[in-house]
Amino acid sequence: MKRLALCLALLGLTAATPPDSTPHLLQGARHFREGRFANALVEFKVAHRLGSGGEADWYIAASLVKLGRSEEALEAFAAAQKSAPDARDALLDYYHALACYDAKLYLCADTLLDAVGEASGPRIGEQVRKLRGDLAALFRTAPTPSSIDWYHARATQARSAGRPVLAARLLEEAVRLAGRREDRYRLAEARASLGALSELPAPIVGGGGP
C-alpha cells in the first residue's frame, strides 16, 4: 500500500502531527504493507491515543477492513470523517467501499466505488470495475421486502447494542432500497427511525440511487 506508506512518511515532516505519534504511524504503515494487519491496528490505535490529528483514524478503519471486521470499520470510517475529513482520499474510499460491501451495504459500496473510479491507480481500478460489475447484477431487480426487512432488523439490533452509527448506516441502506421499489416498502418507517438517532456524523455517501 504505497500511498499509505508515503502519506505516513510525510507526516513526520508536518508540525500538526505530535512527534510521539509519528513512529507508531510509520510502524503501523510498515505492518500494513507487509500484511500484519493486527499489528498495524495496534500501532495506529496507539498513534490515535497519542494525538495524530485524526490521521490515524482512517488507517484504523482500513486495518479493520483487512481484518474482516467490516461493521467496526464502518464506525471507524465515520469517526475518521468527523475528526479528519481532509485526510480522505480515493484509496481510503476504496477500503470504505469494501467495508460497506462486506456489511451488505451494497448501495453504499457502489456510490463510493463510483467516486473512486480510476483515481487510486490501475490495480485498484480493475478491482473497482469488477466489484461494480458484481453490484450491477444485484441491482437488476428491485429489492425484495424480505431483504429490506433484514436491514431494519439489523438496525434494531445495532441500536439495542449501543451502536447508533452502525444502525444509521443500515437504515440509510433501507431508505435507498425502499426508494428503488414502486411501493416504497417501509420507507417512511426507515426515515423515521433514522431521524430518531441523534448525534450522528453525516453520511459520507450520497442518498441517491446507484
Side-chain angles (χ1 to χ4, degrees), residues 80-102:
Q81 177 67 16
K82 185 176 181 179
S83 63
D86 293 340
R88 176 185 174 190
D89 65 16
L91 187 55
L92 290 167
D93 276 353
Y94 172 71
Y95 281 112
H96 189 181
L98 292 182
C100 289
Y101 187 90
D102 289 343

Side-chain angles (χ1 to χ4, degrees), residues 166-186:
L166 176 59
R169 297 301 174 250
L170 289 158
L171 287 168
E172 287 160 7
E173 191 81 359
V175 166
R176 297 181 68 189
L177 287 169
R180 294 172 58 82
R181 288 181 55 88
E182 289 186 4
D183 62 1
R184 302 297 190 261
Y185 181 73
R186 299 186 73 176

Side-chain angles (χ1 to χ4, degrees), residues 16-135:
T17 305
D20 288 346
S21 70
T22 301
H24 294 285
L25 286 166
L26 293 172
Q27 185 63 25
R30 190 172 301 112
H31 284 312
F32 195 106
R33 186 174 61 251
E34 295 173 3
R36 296 186 297 273
F37 303 115
N39 300 82
L41 180 61
V42 169
E43 294 293 339
F44 292 142
K45 284 186 173 181
V46 171
H48 168 81
R49 287 196 297 270
L50 291 172
S52 62
E55 296 280 351
D57 294 351
W58 290 100
Y59 309 130
I60 287 170
S63 298
L64 288 167
V65 173
K66 285 292 191 178
L67 289 167
R69 295 157 60 178
S70 58
E71 292 186 346
E72 292 176 70
L74 290 171
E75 294 167 322
F77 277 118
Q81 177 67 16
K82 185 176 181 179
S83 63
D86 293 340
R88 176 185 174 190
D89 65 16
L91 187 55
L92 290 167
D93 276 353
Y94 172 71
Y95 281 112
H96 189 181
L98 292 182
C100 289
Y101 187 90
D102 289 343
K104 303 185 187 302
L105 304 180
Y106 299 125
L107 292 169
C108 165
D110 192 64
T111 301
L112 284 162
L113 290 171
D114 183 48
V116 171
E118 303 292 334
S120 58
R123 184 177 65 85
I124 297 297
E126 177 60 29
Q127 295 177 26
V128 167
R129 287 191 293 275
K130 181 182 183 307
L131 272 176
R132 293 205 75 199
D134 293 342
L135 289 167

